[in-house]
Amino acid sequence: MKKLLTILLLMLSTVFYAQDNLATVDTKMTEVLALIEKGDVEKLKQMSTQKMYCLQCFENSQGKAPYLVDSKTFYKKHSSKIFNQDVLKRIKEGEKKIITEDGATANYIALYTIYKPNELADGHEGMQFAFWFKEESGSLKLSGVETIP
């Protein structure tokens, strides 16, 4: 009976921990979007990992895996193209979903629907914009961006 109670308590604490982390990602996402809109690159760099996943940063993506770019280069050369006004508007208006990920580049991914199925054309599956977050030194840092598909 004690083992069952211990297992149950452990499961409940895991659920509460996960919910707390998802709320932290949601808060961090709000901060990141506000900084992107302000164009505060210095604060964004501080909130980002040194290397960021960015498939859009590579024109010819063949042979470039794992698509990592230095965060300074990301903000200097790519972020203004990726975060244009239309994309930012669609992110703010889109449905949001936060998922956990157990990968080398991300622990959490915040997904925003920027195009619904059939919105661009009949049969189009839609598109999501993803922000990757990695736990680093006790805090969440932005570790990548991508569009899906």
Side-chain angles (χ1 to χ4, degrees):
M1 186 66 164
K2 284 185 180 181
K3 286 183 182 181
L4 181 61
L5 185 57
T6 303
I7 292 171
L8 188 59
L9 287 173
L10 184 61
M11 289 174 58
L12 282 173
S13 65
T14 303
V15 168
F16 289 127
Y17 178 77
Q19 288 176 344
D20 187 44
N21 283 350
L22 294 180
T24 302
V25 173
D26 192 41
T27 301
K28 189 66 76 169
M29 218 24 260
T30 301
E31 290 176 43
V32 166
L33 286 174
L35 292 172
I36 290 170
E37 286 183 311
K38 287 180 185 176
D40 195 336
V41 172
E42 291 308 311
K43 282 191 181 174
L44 283 165
K45 284 181 198 174
Q46 293 171 9
M47 294 176 67
S48 302
T49 55
Q50 286 184 351
K51 296 280 185 182
M52 295 182 62
Y53 176 87
C54 179
L55 183 60
Q56 296 98 313
C57 295
F58 297 92
E59 289 182 26
N60 180 2
S61 61
Q62 293 181 348
K64 296 285 187 180
Y67 310 109
L68 296 176
V69 64
D70 181 79
S71 63
K72 291 177 185 175
T73 303
F74 173 80
Y75 289 111
K76 185 176 182 178
K77 293 176 83 176
H78 305 289
S79 64
S80 62
K81 295 176 206 164
I82 293 170
F83 300 121
N84 63 54
Q85 291 303 313
D86 182 52
V87 168
L88 287 173
K89 179 181 180 231
R90 289 181 172 281
I91 288 170
K92 289 194 302 190
E93 294 173 355
E95 178 186 331
K96 177 176 50 177
K97 180 185 224 179
I98 299 173
I99 60 172
T100 58
E101 177 74 23
D102 189 22
T105 312
N107 298 113
Y108 303 95
I109 300 176
L111 298 159
Y112 291 83
T113 301
I114 57 174
Y115 289 102
K116 294 178 182 171
N118 300 313
E119 184 177 349
L120 287 173
D122 285 342
H124 187 271
E125 62 189 297
M127 184 179 289
Q128 291 181 310
F129 195 98
F131 292 86
W132 295 22
F133 289 92
K134 181 77 178 162
E135 289 183 28
E136 199 174 81
S137 302
S139 68
L140 280 175
K141 295 201 171 206
L142 183 63
S143 61
V145 296
E146 72 174 318
T147 54
I148 305 165

